[in-house]
Every structure is written in C-alpha cells, then in structure tokens.
C-alpha cells in the first residue's frame, strides 16, 4: 500500500486498541490514546525504510535518505544470507527484513528501552520522529507542498507539548506498566503495532509480504503471505483509495468514540 493508507491503517489500529481497552475496563487516558495514535500512524510508515523512494525517505532530508540506503543494504544481506535454495538472490532489500514480525518486535523493544532509560529527552525524540512521520502520512498532500522545516517545527512543537501533557499525574506515563521505573514503557507498543499493520497491508497487494520470517512455509523462509490472488491489488489502486482508506477512517472514528466514551 501507499504511505497515506499505511498511516491511516496504523491510526485506526491504535484507536481500535483503545476501544478494546475500554471494553475490557482498562480505559486509556486520552493522552495515551492521542499519542499512541500518532506514534502508530508514524510507525506504520517505518518498514519502508528499505525503499529509497518511499515517503519515509523524504521525511528527514538527507538523514532519512542515507538511513534508507543503509537499511536497504542490511535487508538485502539478511535476505541473501538466510534464503533457502528455492529462493532466488536479490539485489535489493525491499519487503524483506523490515516487513517481518521479528523487525516489528525488535524495533518496538528498542523504543521502549530508550523511553524507559532515556527519560524525557528520549520521549521527545520518539514523539518527534513519529509525529513527523504521521504528518507525512496522514497529511501527505499538505506535507508535500510545504517546507520540510515547517513539518519538522510542527513535529518538535507537538512533541514538546505532548510530552508535557503525558508527564502529568494520571495522564498515562505509567499506563499498563505501573512498577517504578516502567514509566513510558508502553511507548513501544504502538511502534510494534504500526509495523505489523504495515506488513499486513502489504500482504493485501500483489507481491504479498514475508511477515512470518524466519518460519519456513512451503520450503521458503521468505514466503510472501497474502490473500488469495484474486483479492490482491496493486499499491495505489482504486481498491486502496476508494475502499480501504475510507474504511480505515470509519473504523478509526468508531474506535475513537468507543475509547473516549466516559459511560
């Protein structure tokens, strides 16, 4: 799928988690819902770090372009180093390592560890990265025509405000994890969810997605899971734009209403 659909699906996924938490009588404080939605929307773009032409490659100027090149080479090396004899060698790493459950868990754990050990400054960095990505994905038309610096300033200001709100007692810094020293531990969860939702979205397209690597399926470690062939579509096709994106907005809105309903 394309960047806007990935971000919308990420936002809808976290709002759905908020609705499920409310149904289970473990309602999220509103800052957790808002911040988690933004992080998940941003994280749903991140698996395309292995693609030099993806939305994320433009998000942070030369830094993200260089990072995309590094991740592309890393993904290619991991693929070629772990493929089975029935899988051809590749000269690029797109839709390999970063599109697996292993990557999602590792990257989420890394952000959780950074948030817990780094305190406020780490939280600010995490929020800045993902708010910028969320703006690039959810508001992609406006982000394309505006200056990158304006998007970065919006991300920095939003990160500062949201970090202050989250740090106030009762606003969710310790949501889900209440032990001393576990504040902000939950911040890795929307990162994991966003990455997984991205991979599931790509599994709906014609190429499929090797989400379950390194588990062998049909003798292949990089087996491209997906829906039945007749149900798949090309990225950016009318099915994505006319059906899936409105569906994500509808589901996200419904999830948000349930999550925020005080009764």
């Amino acid at each position: 799928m394309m960047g806007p659909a990935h971000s919308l699906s990420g936002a809808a996924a976290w709002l759905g988690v908020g609705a499920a938490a409310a149904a289970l009588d473990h309602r999220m404080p509103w800052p957790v819902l808002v911040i988690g939605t933004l992080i998940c929307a941003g994280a749903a773009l991140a698996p395309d770090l292995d693609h030099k032409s993806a939305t994320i490659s433009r998000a942070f100027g030369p830094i993200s372009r260089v990072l995309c090149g590094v991740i592309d080479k890393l993904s290619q090396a991991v693929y070629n180093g772990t493929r089975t004899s029935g899988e051809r060698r590749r000269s690029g790493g797109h839709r390999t390592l970063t599109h697996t459950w292993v990557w999602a868990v590792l990257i989420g754990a890394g952000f959780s560890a950074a948030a817990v050990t780094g305190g406020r400054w780490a939280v600010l960095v995490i929020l800045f990265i993902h708010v910028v990505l969320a703006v690039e994905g959810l508001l992609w038309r406006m982000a394309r025509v505006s200056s990158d610096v304006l998007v970065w300033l919006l991300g920095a200001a939003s990160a500062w405000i949201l970090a202050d709100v989250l740090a106030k007692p009762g606003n969710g810094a310790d949501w889900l994890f209440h032990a001393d020293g576990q504040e902000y531990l939950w911040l890795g969860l929307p990162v994991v969810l966003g990455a997984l939702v991205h991979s599931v979205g790509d599994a709906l397209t014609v190429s499929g997605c090797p989400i379950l690597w390194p588990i062998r399926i049909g003798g292949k470690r990089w087996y491209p899971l997906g829906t039945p062939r007749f149900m798949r579509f090309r990225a950016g096709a009318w099915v994505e734009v006319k059906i899936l994106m409105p569906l994500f907005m509808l589901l996200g809105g419904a999830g948000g209403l349930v999550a925020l309903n005080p009764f």
Side-chain angles (χ1 to χ4, degrees), residues 6 8 13 27 32 35 39 49 52 54 67 87-88 96 104 150 158 162 168 172 177 187 196 213 221 233 243 249 253:
H6 280 309
L8 275 174
R27 191 178 301 275
V32 173
I35 290 170
I39 291 177
L49 272 170
K52 296 178 182 178
L67 183 59
E87 295 170 302
R88 61 180 178 82
T96 55
L150 289 178
S158 300
L162 291 171
K168 292 180 180 179
F177 302 99
L187 286 176
L196 291 176
W213 175 86
R221 286 199 181 95
F233 55 87
I243 296 179
M249 286 188 279

Short mmCIF file of all heavy atoms in Angstrom, two decimals, residues 6 8 13 27 32 35 39 49 52 54 67 87-88 96 104 150 158 162 168 172 177 187 196 213 221 233 243 249 253:
data_model
loop_
_atom_site.label_atom_id
_atom_site.label_comp_id
_atom_site.label_asym_id
_atom_site.label_seq_id
_atom_site.Cartn_x
_atom_site.Cartn_y
_atom_site.Cartn_z
N HIS A 6 -1.14 3.37 4.67
CA HIS A 6 -0.43 2.76 5.79
C HIS A 6 -0.66 3.57 7.07
O HIS A 6 -0.95 3.00 8.13
CB HIS A 6 1.06 2.69 5.49
CG HIS A 6 1.45 1.55 4.60
ND1 HIS A 6 1.07 0.25 4.84
CD2 HIS A 6 2.22 1.52 3.47
CE1 HIS A 6 1.58 -0.54 3.91
NE2 HIS A 6 2.27 0.20 3.07
N LEU A 8 -3.08 5.70 7.82
CA LEU A 8 -4.47 5.61 8.25
C LEU A 8 -4.75 4.28 8.93
O LEU A 8 -5.45 4.22 9.95
CB LEU A 8 -5.41 5.78 7.06
CG LEU A 8 -5.75 7.21 6.65
CD1 LEU A 8 -6.56 7.20 5.35
CD2 LEU A 8 -6.54 7.92 7.75
N ALA A 13 -5.73 1.27 13.84
CA ALA A 13 -5.38 0.12 14.67
C ALA A 13 -5.24 0.52 16.14
O ALA A 13 -5.76 -0.16 17.03
CB ALA A 13 -4.07 -0.51 14.17
N ARG A 27 -9.59 1.49 30.43
CA ARG A 27 -9.65 2.62 29.52
C ARG A 27 -8.33 3.41 29.50
O ARG A 27 -7.71 3.66 30.52
CB ARG A 27 -10.79 3.55 29.93
CG ARG A 27 -11.13 4.62 28.92
CD ARG A 27 -12.32 5.45 29.40
NE ARG A 27 -13.48 4.60 29.62
CZ ARG A 27 -14.32 4.25 28.66
NH1 ARG A 27 -14.12 4.64 27.41
NH2 ARG A 27 -15.36 3.49 28.95
N VAL A 32 -2.83 9.04 26.18
CA VAL A 32 -2.32 7.76 25.69
C VAL A 32 -2.98 7.42 24.35
O VAL A 32 -2.31 6.95 23.42
CB VAL A 32 -2.56 6.63 26.70
CG1 VAL A 32 -2.19 5.27 26.12
CG2 VAL A 32 -1.77 6.88 27.97
N ILE A 35 -1.53 10.13 21.72
CA ILE A 35 -0.11 9.91 21.44
C ILE A 35 0.11 8.56 20.77
O ILE A 35 0.88 8.43 19.81
CB ILE A 35 0.71 10.03 22.74
CG1 ILE A 35 0.72 11.48 23.20
CG2 ILE A 35 2.14 9.51 22.54
CD1 ILE A 35 1.29 11.69 24.59
N ILE A 39 1.84 7.89 17.15
CA ILE A 39 3.01 7.03 17.02
C ILE A 39 2.72 5.86 16.08
O ILE A 39 3.53 5.52 15.21
CB ILE A 39 3.46 6.50 18.40
CG1 ILE A 39 4.03 7.64 19.24
CG2 ILE A 39 4.52 5.39 18.25
CD1 ILE A 39 4.42 7.23 20.65
N LEU A 49 11.58 1.84 5.31
CA LEU A 49 12.96 2.31 5.39
C LEU A 49 13.86 1.56 4.41
O LEU A 49 14.99 1.98 4.15
CB LEU A 49 13.51 2.10 6.80
CG LEU A 49 13.29 3.24 7.81
CD1 LEU A 49 13.66 2.77 9.21
CD2 LEU A 49 14.08 4.48 7.42
N LYS A 52 14.18 3.41 -1.12
CA LYS A 52 14.72 4.76 -1.27
C LYS A 52 13.70 5.76 -1.81
O LYS A 52 13.92 6.98 -1.73
CB LYS A 52 15.95 4.74 -2.18
CG LYS A 52 17.11 3.94 -1.60
CD LYS A 52 18.29 3.91 -2.57
CE LYS A 52 19.44 3.08 -2.02
NZ LYS A 52 20.58 3.00 -2.95
N ALA A 54 10.37 5.69 -0.88
CA ALA A 54 9.21 5.71 -0.01
C ALA A 54 9.03 7.07 0.67
O ALA A 54 9.96 7.89 0.72
CB ALA A 54 9.34 4.62 1.06
N LEU A 67 19.79 6.73 5.73
CA LEU A 67 19.33 5.60 6.54
C LEU A 67 18.60 4.58 5.68
O LEU A 67 18.79 3.36 5.86
CB LEU A 67 18.41 6.10 7.66
CG LEU A 67 17.90 5.05 8.64
CD1 LEU A 67 19.05 4.35 9.34
CD2 LEU A 67 16.96 5.69 9.67
N GLU A 87 14.85 -20.08 -3.15
CA GLU A 87 14.57 -18.65 -3.25
C GLU A 87 15.72 -17.94 -3.96
O GLU A 87 16.88 -18.13 -3.59
CB GLU A 87 14.36 -18.06 -1.84
CG GLU A 87 13.13 -18.63 -1.15
CD GLU A 87 13.05 -18.25 0.32
OE1 GLU A 87 13.99 -18.58 1.07
OE2 GLU A 87 12.04 -17.62 0.72
N ARG A 88 15.41 -17.14 -4.96
CA ARG A 88 16.44 -16.50 -5.77
C ARG A 88 17.14 -15.39 -4.98
O ARG A 88 16.57 -14.80 -4.07
CB ARG A 88 15.82 -15.91 -7.03
CG ARG A 88 14.78 -14.83 -6.76
CD ARG A 88 14.20 -14.27 -8.06
NE ARG A 88 13.17 -13.27 -7.81
CZ ARG A 88 13.43 -11.99 -7.54
NH1 ARG A 88 14.68 -11.57 -7.48
NH2 ARG A 88 12.44 -11.14 -7.34
N THR A 96 11.58 -7.16 2.75
CA THR A 96 12.22 -8.33 3.34
C THR A 96 12.29 -8.13 4.86
O THR A 96 11.28 -8.22 5.54
CB THR A 96 13.60 -8.60 2.72
OG1 THR A 96 14.43 -7.43 2.81
CG2 THR A 96 13.47 -8.99 1.25
N ALA A 104 9.47 -5.90 13.71
CA ALA A 104 8.48 -5.13 14.46
C ALA A 104 8.73 -5.24 15.96
O ALA A 104 8.72 -4.24 16.68
CB ALA A 104 7.07 -5.62 14.12
N LEU A 150 9.07 23.34 8.07
CA LEU A 150 7.79 23.60 8.73
C LEU A 150 7.24 22.31 9.34
O LEU A 150 6.69 22.33 10.45
CB LEU A 150 6.79 24.19 7.74
CG LEU A 150 7.05 25.63 7.28
CD1 LEU A 150 5.99 26.05 6.26
CD2 LEU A 150 7.05 26.58 8.47
N SER A 158 4.81 19.81 18.64
CA SER A 158 3.84 18.81 19.09
C SER A 158 4.47 17.86 20.10
O SER A 158 3.85 17.51 21.11
CB SER A 158 3.31 18.03 17.90
OG SER A 158 2.67 18.87 16.98
N LEU A 162 3.05 17.41 23.85
CA LEU A 162 2.54 16.10 24.22
C LEU A 162 3.35 15.46 25.35
O LEU A 162 2.79 14.80 26.23
CB LEU A 162 2.53 15.19 22.99
CG LEU A 162 1.52 15.55 21.90
CD1 LEU A 162 1.76 14.70 20.66
CD2 LEU A 162 0.08 15.36 22.40
N LYS A 168 2.20 14.60 33.23
CA LYS A 168 1.37 15.00 34.37
C LYS A 168 0.71 13.78 35.00
O LYS A 168 0.33 12.83 34.30
CB LYS A 168 0.32 16.01 33.91
CG LYS A 168 0.92 17.35 33.49
CD LYS A 168 -0.15 18.33 33.04
CE LYS A 168 0.49 19.66 32.64
NZ LYS A 168 -0.53 20.64 32.17
N GLY A 172 -1.11 9.06 31.99
CA GLY A 172 -0.78 7.84 31.28
C GLY A 172 0.67 7.50 31.07
O GLY A 172 0.98 6.56 30.32
N PHE A 177 1.86 -0.32 32.54
CA PHE A 177 3.01 -0.77 33.33
C PHE A 177 3.17 0.18 34.51
O PHE A 177 3.57 1.34 34.34
CB PHE A 177 4.28 -0.79 32.47
CG PHE A 177 4.17 -1.66 31.25
CD1 PHE A 177 3.88 -1.11 30.01
CD2 PHE A 177 4.35 -3.03 31.34
CE1 PHE A 177 3.78 -1.90 28.88
CE2 PHE A 177 4.25 -3.84 30.21
CZ PHE A 177 3.96 -3.27 28.98
N LEU A 187 5.33 2.94 25.27
CA LEU A 187 5.51 3.66 24.02
C LEU A 187 5.97 2.76 22.87
O LEU A 187 5.79 3.10 21.70
CB LEU A 187 6.51 4.80 24.21
CG LEU A 187 6.00 6.02 24.98
CD1 LEU A 187 7.12 7.03 25.18
CD2 LEU A 187 4.82 6.67 24.27
N LEU A 196 3.52 -3.95 12.26
CA LEU A 196 2.77 -5.15 11.87
C LEU A 196 1.61 -4.81 10.93
O LEU A 196 1.36 -5.52 9.95
CB LEU A 196 2.24 -5.86 13.11
CG LEU A 196 3.28 -6.53 14.00
CD1 LEU A 196 2.63 -7.11 15.25
CD2 LEU A 196 4.03 -7.63 13.25
N TRP A 213 8.76 -14.56 8.51
CA TRP A 213 10.18 -14.92 8.52
C TRP A 213 10.70 -14.94 9.95
O TRP A 213 10.33 -14.08 10.76
CB TRP A 213 10.96 -13.88 7.71
CG TRP A 213 12.45 -14.10 7.76
CD1 TRP A 213 13.18 -14.91 6.96
CD2 TRP A 213 13.38 -13.50 8.67
NE1 TRP A 213 14.51 -14.86 7.31
CE2 TRP A 213 14.67 -14.00 8.36
CE3 TRP A 213 13.27 -12.59 9.73
CZ2 TRP A 213 15.82 -13.61 9.06
CZ3 TRP A 213 14.39 -12.21 10.43
CH2 TRP A 213 15.65 -12.72 10.10
N ARG A 221 11.81 -19.53 3.57
CA ARG A 221 11.82 -18.68 4.76
C ARG A 221 11.18 -17.32 4.48
O ARG A 221 10.66 -16.69 5.39
CB ARG A 221 13.27 -18.46 5.24
CG ARG A 221 13.90 -19.67 5.91
CD ARG A 221 15.11 -19.26 6.73
NE ARG A 221 15.73 -20.43 7.35
CZ ARG A 221 16.74 -21.11 6.83
NH1 ARG A 221 17.26 -20.71 5.67
NH2 ARG A 221 17.26 -22.15 7.45
N PHE A 233 -4.37 -6.51 -4.95
CA PHE A 233 -4.40 -5.32 -5.80
C PHE A 233 -3.02 -4.68 -5.82
O PHE A 233 -2.17 -4.96 -4.97
CB PHE A 233 -5.44 -4.32 -5.29
CG PHE A 233 -5.25 -3.94 -3.84
CD1 PHE A 233 -4.40 -2.88 -3.49
CD2 PHE A 233 -5.89 -4.63 -2.82
CE1 PHE A 233 -4.21 -2.52 -2.18
CE2 PHE A 233 -5.70 -4.28 -1.49
CZ PHE A 233 -4.86 -3.22 -1.17
N ILE A 243 -11.84 2.33 -1.27
CA ILE A 243 -12.48 1.42 -0.32
C ILE A 243 -11.72 1.35 1.00
O ILE A 243 -12.28 1.62 2.07
CB ILE A 243 -12.63 0.01 -0.92
CG1 ILE A 243 -13.55 0.04 -2.14
CG2 ILE A 243 -13.17 -0.96 0.13
CD1 ILE A 243 -13.75 -1.30 -2.82
N MET A 249 -10.74 5.15 7.94
CA MET A 249 -11.22 6.35 8.62
C MET A 249 -12.49 6.06 9.42
O MET A 249 -12.65 6.52 10.56
CB MET A 249 -11.49 7.46 7.59
CG MET A 249 -10.22 8.08 7.04
SD MET A 249 -10.50 9.53 6.00
CE MET A 249 -10.92 8.76 4.45
N GLY A 253 -12.61 6.26 13.45
CA GLY A 253 -13.57 7.14 14.12
C GLY A 253 -14.43 6.39 15.12
O GLY A 253 -14.64 6.85 16.24
#
